[in-house]
Amino acid sequence: MTDNFNYADERFADLQLLRYRLDGFESLSLQQKKLVYYLSEATLLGRDIIFAQHGAYNLAIRRVLEAIYTDPHTDRTTEDFRQLEIYLKRVWFSNGIYHHYGSEKFLPGFSQEYLLLSMCRVSPWRLPLTSGQSVRDLFDVLCPVMFDPDVLPKLVNKADGEDLVQTSACTFYHEVTQDEAEAFYAKMKEQHANDPEPPSFGLNSTLTKEVEHIGEEVWYAHGRFGGAIRRIMEQLRKAGEVAENEAQRQVIEKLIEFYETGDLRTFNDYCKLWVKCLDGRVDFINGFIEVYTDPLGLKGSWEGLVEYVDEEATRRTQLISQNAQWFEDHSPVDARFKKKEVRGVSAKVICAAMLGGDEYPSTAIGINLPNADWIRAEYGSKSITIKNITDAYDKAARGNGFREEFVIDQDTLGMIDRYADALDTLHTDLHECLGHGSGQLLPGVDPDALKAYGNTIEEARADLFGLYYVADHKLVELGLTPDDEAYRAQYYTYMMNGLMTQLVRIEPGRQIEEAHMRNRALIARWCLAHGDAMQMVKREGKTYLQITDYAQLRRLVAQLLAEVQRIKSEGDYEAARQLVEQYAISIDPELHAEVLARYKRLNLAPYKGFINPVLLPVYNHQGEIADITVYYGESYAHQMLRYSSEYATL
């Protein structure tokens, strides 16, 4: 690719699409390229699963909208069509009708009458009609789900005091209450209380109630989502044939076995093999992994990521992981909660080659897996920082005026301009490489004891670990920061985000819902309330963050880290609830209105996502793959429609 690669692409609603480039892909061997290709196919084949997990009607809504959008008889010049196009693009982006970050349902800008007339104009065979169902019947089913704000209003409800299961639209539970679900899994865990390697109960199943019987419908090759899983397995078998080494081949085969059986103990075996598989340049994530979309934090959303190592940048993360025991020993938390021996911490900087499922179009910039605490303790974990994604974010944001609008003065702005991008990456490294893997539960503590607050507390724990150590002189000694002042740039931008600027992502009148946003608000607001290291000040009618004592702020970070680790280690649900409810959720409406008004003048999109590159096999005269080339020119709409056609599995 040339240096004029266009990172930024189209915008709509509150979203902007970016592109990421596959630097160094051409240096991979043909075998490695083929491995990336087959793993990428397996990643894209999980797309329908995440739509189905995000709501019972999402696939039908998507197919209806796509049929109207592509119908040759549709008038594309009307305002109703323009609004349908925006709505469809949002549905594609969020893998359903709920905002990908805030989880609230977004409503169409076109009328119900327009939808009905458009559906009637489309050939019925192009609509997802069930046996005996008319077009009007289908409309009557979908209309309230799409247009009524009170019908299935939230993907994930985390409101204290409500039945989180019955008020969430995700499809992980059917006809059960929160109390029934918690009792079901509590009994299961009690029966395995002495198991040294317990399964991640509930990770790959829908909990259902038929009459009075409660049971699990497992997601595997011969169960729910079986059509998608079997096609994923086909591509994984091809990937296994071109694995870089025997260990990598065993990982792929064990994942296939898990998909074939749905057995969570097989998933444990897969995780142990995956953590130890470190020698290849290519790696992947594929399956039911993160639990943020489950209000109870048990059930895994389907996600896929294919990656290859950026060998030069990885030297930084390897330096961090090599010193993992030092960081653990010098953590400001109680000695009871520290690991005596940090095992198997591996960290790499990678280039994403393909994003899928819950990692597409919006994706993380760093990942630490597996999630099971006992696997982390006994076998270690893998941490990755996704370099080409962060590069795309950074390059697309240059010169957009955001920092100039919200940073308090030129001196602070200059400090941030010098250090912030590098320190952001370093904080992500510390968060993923060490933060999530630090500390330990006390014996007998249920890893899910914090329930709906667990995700927020865990993200806060990892962020606090990173914030505490990004300011440590040890990083100067290791050559990871240039001097003892550089950390201030990270402290300022982090606290400014938690207190103010992340509010641009939230609609007026709403609270903070997403776990990572809650975590940042919790940390910043707690530090603001417990010392005088920083203040919110007014200048010429605008609110700014002013930090006057960075050393004290670090001490506050240490104090909060110690408490959050205690909560995690002891499974103190009530303390977690009080901390999150007090600091992480509510929003000052006056400050919110001001931040939104200032941001609006910048004409920026608060959320970003990505268009995947296209991997194109080149065949020789014998019909064998001779090379894999990369194409970056596919439009967002073309990619989404192609995926709906080529990777339709449910």
Side-chain angles (χ1 to χ4, degrees), residues 57-76:
Y57 303 93
N58 282 331
L59 285 171
I61 291 171
R62 190 190 80 195
R63 287 163 182 159
V64 166
L65 295 173
E66 289 175 345
I68 297 170
Y69 183 73
T70 59
D71 191 84
H73 303 295
T74 297
D75 184 352
R76 304 175 72 88

Side-chain angles (χ1 to χ4, degrees), residues 522-557:
L522 188 162
I523 292 171
R525 292 171 176 180
W526 188 95
C527 289
L528 182 67
H530 285 79
D532 54 8
M534 59 183 184
Q535 303 83 33
M536 304 297 285
V537 299
K538 284 274 191 179
R539 293 188 178 178
E540 299 180 357
K542 294 181 178 180
T543 305
Y544 295 94
L545 169 65
Q546 183 178 51
I547 300 180
T548 55
D549 191 337
Y550 283 92
Q552 183 193 145
L553 185 54
R554 190 192 184 210
R555 292 193 293 272
L556 290 170
V557 166

Side-chain angles (χ1 to χ4, degrees), residues 432-488:
E432 299 294 350
C433 301
L434 301 180
H436 280 306
S438 67
Q440 63 180 358
L441 301 179
L442 293 183
V445 171
D446 182 354
D448 301 313
L450 304 184
K451 301 179 182 179
Y453 301 103
N455 289 332
T456 298
I457 291 297
E458 175 57 24
E459 291 304 323
R461 193 175 71 90
D463 260 3
L464 286 162
F465 195 96
L467 287 170
Y468 179 74
Y469 277 117
V470 80
D472 201 286
H473 183 70
K474 180 72 171 180
L475 298 191
V476 180
E477 294 178 4
L478 293 174
L480 296 172
T481 52
D483 54 55
D484 288 317
E485 309 299 320
Y487 79 93
R488 296 183 178 189

Side-chain angles (χ1 to χ4, degrees), residues 340-412:
K340 302 299 183 289
E341 181 183 356
V342 179
R343 299 179 182 176
V345 176
S346 67
K348 295 180 179 179
V349 178
I350 61 100
C351 282
M354 195 62 64
L355 308 172
D358 211 25
E359 292 293 337
Y360 169 81
S362 178
T363 186
I365 59 174
I367 297 173
N368 178 276
L369 291 171
N371 288 324
D373 285 290
W374 68 266
I375 295 180
R376 292 174 181 275
E378 294 298 322
Y379 297 92
S381 62
K382 280 184 182 178
S383 298
I384 58 171
T385 303
I386 312 177
K387 184 176 184 292
N388 56 342
I389 295 297
T390 56
D391 282 350
Y393 279 131
D394 292 343
K395 289 181 173 63
R398 286 178 180 172
N400 66 11
F402 180 82
R403 289 176 179 170
E404 289 79 1
E405 174 60 39
F406 288 102
V407 174
I408 189 168
D409 54 39
Q410 286 299 316
D411 287 344
T412 307

